[in-house]
Amino acid sequence: MPLKIVNVSKRYNDKWVLRDFTLEIADGEIFGLLGANGSGKSVVLRLLAGSEKPNSGQIFFNETDVSATAAAAADKARNFTLVTADDANQISWKNIFLSTKSEQISEGERQNSDFSNALEKAEKVLLLDNPFACLDRRGRDRALEVLRQKAQERSLTVILATNDFEDAFLACDRVGVLSGGAIAQTGTPRDLYEHPNSKAAAEMLGRCNLICARRVTFNNQAVTEFQTLAGEHRIRADRIEKSALGAITDNVSLMIRPEHISISFGASFPEDNLLKAKIVSVQYCGPTTRVRLDADGLILEALVLRLVGLNEGDECLVGLPPDRILVLKN
């Protein structure tokens, strides 16, 4: 592993930004560091680049501990900074670039030019801190395509810090979700999207319905059912590891993606947790349509290719397939 972070913690005054942060990046891997604004993504990159030191923990580069290195001077006026470790440690960081979004940059063309410059100069490790924020969607898609192509051609190790899960999914081999100062979950984009392990991970990985509920069946029963706190609906969930259910008195979060909710006039699929609902709003999004529904106080969002025969204010039936519902830890 060319980059390895072990139990690193970082604080500013009395605020801990990272707590026991641990991560390994493989040689030639494009790794996405996905987190909300203020989650500590930029701090991780600065620690890796050597421009800041951790309060505790170790950072290894090619199996050599470089966490004791004095913070390297960085030219903050430039969008891309060449970071060199202290000569006393005899560790050369000349091939590691740190790309950041400067407040002085307001044009996507310049940001794209700086990104291209860093991509051409980097030889081993490229650290990218939200480098496409000023680009439109088409420009970002093209830049991500170039990043993946060039990184593979030159065997670059890339860490892309972003708050946009689509950017991470398009470019990265693996993605790590940063929450609460630590990595909440890592995996391939598909694994993360289909199997988030917590509310924090689910919310960072795209739109989702999170339903607060309480289990009403015991562990030894064949079917696991829950009752929602809002609307008091009975919902069955099939994808359950019963050993992880916890106490029957505990509230849990049920999750289902909007594209997995069906909308119909009649009870064509009674096994799909059918609920009566009212259409609150319809939002046209081009290739898809986003529908907001109210099922006796339980607010749901469905994503359909198009909504035919139903309009805002109409009543309908919504189906929540049991095999599409996950039980998440809070």
Side-chain angles (χ1 to χ4, degrees), residues 242-313:
K242 295 194 175 183
S243 60
L245 280 174
I248 196 170
T249 55
D250 292 343
N251 292 342
V252 298
S253 292
L254 307 180
M255 190 215 80
I256 184 169
R257 296 288 183 190
E259 63 268 25
H260 295 149
I261 292 181
S262 63
I263 302 175
S264 65
F265 291 103
S268 55
F269 301 101
E271 71 278 8
D272 280 355
N273 293 317
L274 284 177
L275 310 178
K276 290 183 178 179
K278 183 178 181 179
I279 297 178
V280 177
S281 65
V282 178
Q283 188 175 15
Y284 177 72
C285 303
T288 59
T289 298
R290 191 176 296 154
V291 185
R292 189 172 175 84
L293 304 130
D294 184 346
D296 292 329
L298 176 64
I299 305 301
L300 299 169
E301 181 182 282
L303 189 67
V304 297
L305 291 177
R306 57 178 180 167
L307 190 65
V308 179
L310 290 169
N311 299 289
E312 204 171 292

Side-chain angles (χ1 to χ4, degrees), residues 75-80 100-108 110-111 114 134:
D75 181 6
K76 298 184 183 299
R78 297 182 59 188
N79 201 37
F80 295 91
T100 61
K101 180 172 70 68
S102 168
E103 294 179 357
Q104 298 177 349
I105 295 177
S106 57
E107 297 182 1
R110 179 179 174 186
Q111 192 172 61
D114 287 339
C134 294

